[in-house]
Amino acid sequence: MHRNQLFTSESVSVGHPDKLADQISDSILDAMIRVDPNARVACETMVSTGLCVVAGEVTCDGYVEIRDVVRKTITDVGYDSSDKGMDGDSCAVMVSIDEQSPEISMGVTEGEGAHNEQGAGDQGLMFGYACRETESLMPLAIDLSHKLVAQQEKVRRADLIPHLRPDAKSQVTVEYEGMQPKSVHTVVLSTQHGPEWTRDQQGMRAEVIEHIIKPVLGDWYSDDLIVHTNPTGSFERGGPHGDCGLTGRKIIVDTYGGMGRHGGGAFSGKDPSKVDRSAAYMARYIAKNLVDAGLCDRCEVQLSYAIGVAEPTSISVDTFGTEKIDPESFEMLIRDHFKLTPKGIIDSLGLKKPIYLPSAALGHFGRTPDEGAPGTFSWERTDLSKSLANASSSSSSVS
């Protein structure tokens, strides 16, 4: 008997204060990589009413006017008026940037540390995940959650629903029968709006269902679906004016919506020498190619590293009983087909490019390769799946 159960994931829009902070951090990272592809960047951002604070450690052979980058990012997201609680042109911007620790730099720079190869920028463990629930090989709940807030942004910018503002949150509950999605049980969509909608939430609900929820859910929409829109009653105050935002506070939104495990490291504002980011991208790349190759239907890959050491300290694969080959074959396949040192990951995925801003909202995974700009989301390619399938053909099948 397959047990029915509910599973929920959430996402947040480009205007959510935490995601605004992520986008500012990644905009600064991209700007520094443009002037110095070898830049070492650890950039943290806090946003509040009329205020942005940027702090961190950076080594960059070139100059970036950080305040200009911050102001452009805030304005591009849609916070361009004091009526919205933040105006990118006039808000206060404070910057406190120091140089990267020389001890970390020594361990990461090739030929300078205790090991000749470029080592990991920190210790840690990273997970990648893939499954057959969607075309993107992502879990259904997080896939739909991202699409809902992406649609909210599209509708807002096109003015299909007038007076929407940048902040929004979505949540999707999926009913599973065993490991297979059976139906979408509940959808929550909260969207910031102007005062025009405050006393007409029923009118807004109808517009949100028609222009945002139905187009995204498609065949998953049903008469039995439970829908909550702005369940507090209104959502006029949002963004940094409604809540303080911090870089790295939406790590589950950024990954797999709680499906599978998380190593705890955030992504935005970190250059690819930080394995918190680059190794998590590689783990997704591995898991997605293994699933696409038909070697399993569901896959979680864990990589771990020691600071200053190039090779991973461990590789672990869990296929949840869906494997089509000998489970002991996976680690050898991974080592034979993927370069797992920090330098190998950076070179394989082309990570020394200004590709990070598009990833700072709507999820780092499940996106189309080159979405946003050439070279973005390279970890979403499935270019190694055929090689993996061919290499595994000699392995004994699992009944």
Side-chain angles (χ1 to χ4, degrees):
M1 278 293 281
H2 290 304
R3 183 170 67 94
N4 283 26
Q5 60 181 341
L6 301 177
F7 187 85
T8 301
S9 296
E10 69 161 348
S11 185
V12 297
S13 72
V14 297
H16 185 280
D18 293 331
K19 277 289 123 195
L20 178 61
D22 284 342
Q23 289 167 93
I24 291 168
S25 291
D26 270 341
S27 292
I28 293 168
L29 171 63
D30 281 350
M32 291 187 173
I33 290 177
R34 283 190 188 95
V35 301
D36 178 10
N38 296 310
R40 301 276 168 72
V41 181
C43 179
E44 313 294 341
T45 301
M46 183 196 78
V47 289
S48 188
T49 305
L51 171 67
C52 176
V53 179
V54 176
E57 297 77 44
V58 166
T59 301
C60 180
D61 188 13
Y63 180 75
V64 171
E65 182 51 72
I66 291 175
R67 287 175 177 80
D68 289 349
V69 175
V70 169
R71 294 187 186 284
K72 183 178 188 307
T73 305
I74 293 170
T75 302
D76 286 349
V77 164
Y79 291 114
D80 52 10
S81 167
S82 58
D83 292 340
K84 301 175 184 178
M86 177 164 272
D87 181 354
D89 290 332
S90 62
C91 66
V93 179
M94 300 175 63
V95 179
S96 177
I97 297 288
D98 294 319
E99 189 174 5
Q100 183 188 43
S101 160
E103 292 160 315
I104 295 176
S105 178
M106 180 174 62
V108 175
T109 302
E110 191 170 359
E112 287 190 8
H115 305 273
N116 287 328
E117 291 184 82
Q118 176 181 337
D122 200 353
Q123 70 176 45
L125 50 138
M126 303 84 204
F127 288 95
Y129 187 87
C131 62
R132 293 195 180 280
E133 294 180 21
T134 61
E135 288 185 6
S136 62
L137 303 186
M138 288 287 285
L140 179 62
I142 190 66
D143 183 72
L144 291 175
S145 294
H146 286 325
K147 287 176 178 175
L148 284 167
V149 288
Q151 181 71 4
Q152 187 271 351
E153 182 187 4
K154 180 180 177 182
V155 166
R156 170 176 66 89
R157 293 188 186 277
D159 207 29
L160 290 177
I161 303 176
H163 313 300
L164 292 191
R165 290 184 174 177
D167 197 357
K169 298 182 78 170
S170 64
Q171 187 171 283
V172 176
T173 301
V174 173
E175 182 180 8
Y176 281 82
E177 185 174 336
M179 286 181 144
Q180 298 303 315
K182 180 182 178 183
S183 65
V184 175
H185 182 276
T186 303
V187 169
V188 183
L189 196 291
S190 298
T191 177
Q192 186 189 12
H193 55 78
E196 296 83 359
W197 287 111
T198 298
R199 296 188 178 181
D200 187 17
Q201 288 295 306
Q202 283 303 113
M204 164 156 277
R205 174 183 171 86
E207 292 290 307
V208 165
I209 290 173
E210 183 65 26
H211 293 291
I212 299 175
I213 296 175
K214 283 185 175 180
V216 169
L217 263 62
D219 293 341
W220 290 110
Y221 190 90
S222 71
D223 293 337
D224 296 329
L225 178 69
I226 299 169
V227 177
H228 299 287
T229 62
N230 287 2
T232 64
S234 67
F235 187 5
E236 189 173 335
R237 177 183 289 193
H241 186 42
D243 195 8
C244 178
L246 298 170
T247 298
R249 203 160 59 176
K250 286 291 177 284
I251 59 175
I252 300 301
V253 171
D254 284 345
T255 51
Y256 308 100
M259 185 74 74
R261 289 167 284 194
H262 196 293
F267 300 153
S268 290
K270 296 179 181 178
D271 76 87
S273 73
K274 279 77 172 174
V275 286
D276 273 348
R277 184 172 213 161
S278 55
Y281 290 171
M282 177 55 77
R284 163 64 175 175
Y285 183 48
I286 294 168
K288 187 174 184 181
N289 276 271
L290 290 173
V291 171
D292 191 68
L295 306 186
C296 51
D297 295 330
R298 190 177 295 264
C299 183
E300 182 182 76
V301 174
Q302 186 202 52
L303 303 174
S304 68
Y305 291 84
I307 188 168
V309 179
E311 292 291 339
T313 56
S314 68
I315 302 170
S316 176
V317 181
D318 189 348
T319 54
F320 307 94
T322 69
E323 64 275 3
K324 315 301 180 186
I325 61 172
D326 183 349
E328 295 184 3
S329 301
F330 283 105
E331 182 174 342
M332 183 178 295
L333 283 170
I334 290 169
R335 290 189 181 277
D336 287 347
H337 288 80
F338 299 91
K339 298 175 181 178
L340 302 179
T341 65
K343 184 178 188 304
I345 293 171
I346 290 167
D347 291 345
S348 298
L349 300 180
L351 299 182
K352 285 189 177 182
K353 299 175 183 177
I355 58 172
Y356 296 103
L357 174 58
S359 72
L362 309 179
H364 292 248
F365 306 119
R367 311 284 287 273
T368 304
D370 297 330
E371 181 182 328
T376 55
F377 304 104
S378 56
W379 48 94
E380 292 296 317
R381 300 188 315 247
T382 53
D383 53 323
L384 293 181
S385 61
K386 289 184 179 179
S387 296
L388 287 165
N390 291 337
S392 66
S393 62
S394 59
S395 300
S396 59
S397 297
V398 174
S399 58

